[in-house]
Amino acid sequence: MNFEQLEYIVYVASEKSISKAAEKLFISTSAISQSISQLERELNITIFNRSRIGTTPTPEGNIVITKAINILSNIRQLNEELCNLNIKKEKQLKIIAATAF
């Protein structure tokens, strides 16, 4: 499982379509589909029911999607906090004075 796969399932769930999610992510539908299939094999569950009408999460898929949303949110918060720390570090002024001889 990787962050990319988590992002894909969240987009597919929100769009209810692999092709619409692929358009938003600027990748091919087959790339998303293969990535999700790989995650399903790894977890030994079916995350989405796929049909011509659309893509809907299974009960197990809803659990995974909810956790994925939380994980991705935590990662974004972590990145923001680290970015803010770096900005604060850059704003610090350090003055060093040499002793007179």
Side-chain angles (χ1 to χ4, degrees):
M1 179 183 313
N2 61 47
F3 298 123
E4 190 174 77
Q5 290 170 318
L6 298 179
E7 192 172 55
Y8 291 172
I9 63 171
V10 169
Y11 268 91
V12 170
S14 69
E15 295 296 323
K16 296 179 175 57
S17 165
I18 291 175
S19 60
K20 288 180 184 177
E23 285 177 26
K24 288 212 173 191
L25 292 167
F26 302 104
I27 60 173
S28 70
T29 55
S30 65
I32 287 184
S33 185
Q34 288 175 10
S35 183
I36 292 172
S37 293
Q38 180 183 0
L39 181 58
E40 289 174 329
R41 282 190 303 275
E42 184 179 329
L43 298 176
N44 199 27
I45 62 166
T46 301
I47 298 172
F48 293 106
N49 291 317
R50 298 165 176 89
S51 71
R52 293 178 193 237
I53 299 170
T55 306
T56 56
T58 63
E60 298 90 352
N62 280 322
I63 294 169
V64 175
I65 293 163
T66 300
K67 296 292 184 183
I69 291 168
N70 292 334
I71 290 167
L72 293 172
S73 176
N74 286 336
I75 290 170
R76 283 188 196 99
Q77 288 174 356
L78 174 62
N79 283 332
E80 286 174 15
E81 288 178 30
L82 293 174
C83 183
N84 289 337
L85 282 175
N86 287 333
I87 289 171
K88 286 179 183 177
K89 283 181 184 177
E90 290 172 6
K91 290 184 178 180
Q92 292 178 355
L93 175 64
K94 293 182 181 179
I95 299 175
I96 300 173
T99 57
F101 291 104

